[in-house]
Amino acid sequence: MNKKAHIATLLIFGVIAAPVVVYLCIFGAAISSNHARWAEFGSAIGGIYSPIVALLTLAVLLRQVALQSQMNVHEFDQAYLQQAREDIEFYSKQLEQIMNGIALPGQTLRLVLHQHFAHPIANNLDSHQLRQLAADVHHLIPPVFDIWTAVYPILAGLEAGKTRMYNMTLGSSTQKLIALLSFETCVALDNFHRTRTEGRMQVNYIFSPVLRKP
């Protein structure tokens, strides 16, 4: 039994015992043979304990409601985290497969992303040349933009959760993306997304150093 439960038990016992102790101190502990005194005792004890029992019952019900609410939140969190893991697994594998697709003549998508989007400075992301390249890549391989866009809400939802499980799932999800795609590819995808949307989408870019919020 933890300290809070121990204190709560002592308080409940004290509340229950207090009326009897007060009665005995005032009227004495001798057992009477007078029926009237027994009736008075029963009336007094009943009047005192009825509201006490009602309050204790209410406290128990409120505690049950609170516990049920905690269980519901826990079950929701577990279901949400499991779905997030499955979605990240699915999207990362889809991206891994399309990275070898031809984005430009003789160049794979991975190569194009690494050469043009992995190491630009922030100002270059708005250049006409990069915007045109991002549009061409999106036109030739639409899933790369669509899938990476779908990853952001998942990571944002995990980042919004302040519990340890949310933080752990966020960390494992980002590590899974890095492990399957490489960190350089994730950085390039962030920059590619920013260039393609021209900064019109409110996205928390996690991987790109030039886009990461301080």
Side-chain angles (χ1 to χ4, degrees):
M1 183 181 295
N2 57 42
K3 185 176 181 180
K4 289 184 178 180
H6 185 68
I7 293 175
T9 301
L10 291 177
L11 287 175
I12 292 172
F13 179 79
V15 170
I16 293 175
V20 175
V21 172
V22 171
Y23 185 91
L24 294 177
C25 289
I26 295 176
F27 299 102
I31 299 177
S32 175
S33 59
N34 189 332
H35 291 287
R37 292 201 61 186
W38 279 102
E40 292 172 358
F41 175 78
S43 178
I45 295 300
I48 293 173
Y49 277 109
S50 292
I52 292 176
V53 171
L55 289 174
L56 290 177
T57 302
L58 179 61
V60 170
L61 290 175
L62 292 175
R63 179 58 177 167
Q64 289 179 340
V65 170
L67 290 174
Q68 185 62 47
S69 178
Q70 292 177 2
M71 290 179 61
N72 291 340
V73 170
H74 178 74
E75 291 176 358
F76 172 82
D77 286 344
Q78 291 301 311
Y80 181 87
L81 294 175
Q82 181 61 30
Q83 187 62 52
R85 296 186 192 98
E86 293 176 359
D87 289 343
I88 289 294
E89 179 81 17
F90 173 78
Y91 290 139
S92 58
K93 288 183 176 179
Q94 292 294 312
L95 284 169
E96 184 186 20
Q97 291 176 3
I98 66 175
M99 280 297 153
N100 294 324
I102 301 300
L104 295 176
Q107 295 183 330
T108 64
L109 173 61
R110 187 186 302 274
L111 182 60
V112 171
L113 290 174
H114 286 191
Q115 286 183 345
H116 299 281
F117 294 97
H119 306 289
I121 61 177
N123 292 337
N124 286 348
L125 294 177
D126 292 320
S127 68
H128 175 75
Q129 181 182 1
L130 270 188
R131 286 183 178 179
Q132 186 58 51
L133 178 59
D136 292 341
V137 171
H138 189 192
H139 177 73
L140 291 171
I141 310 178
V144 63
F145 176 82
D146 299 334
I147 294 174
W148 197 245
T149 299
V151 167
Y152 290 125
I154 301 172
L155 298 180
L158 295 175
E159 194 172 21
K162 302 303 181 183
T163 65
R164 182 180 179 184
M165 288 302 299
Y166 274 83
N167 292 332
M168 291 176 61
T169 304
L170 174 62
S172 65
S173 297
T174 54
Q175 288 303 314
K176 181 171 293 184
L177 290 167
I178 292 171
L180 291 176
L181 302 174
S182 82
F183 179 73
E184 187 176 15
T185 301
C186 291
V187 171
L189 285 168
D190 269 359
N191 293 328
F192 165 74
H193 185 274
R194 164 62 177 75
T195 300
R196 184 69 186 102
T197 60
E198 301 180 9
R200 291 192 294 265
M201 290 184 65
Q202 295 297 320
V203 173
N204 184 18
Y205 295 101
I206 292 179
F207 300 100
S208 175
V210 298
L211 298 177
R212 191 182 303 129
K213 295 179 180 179

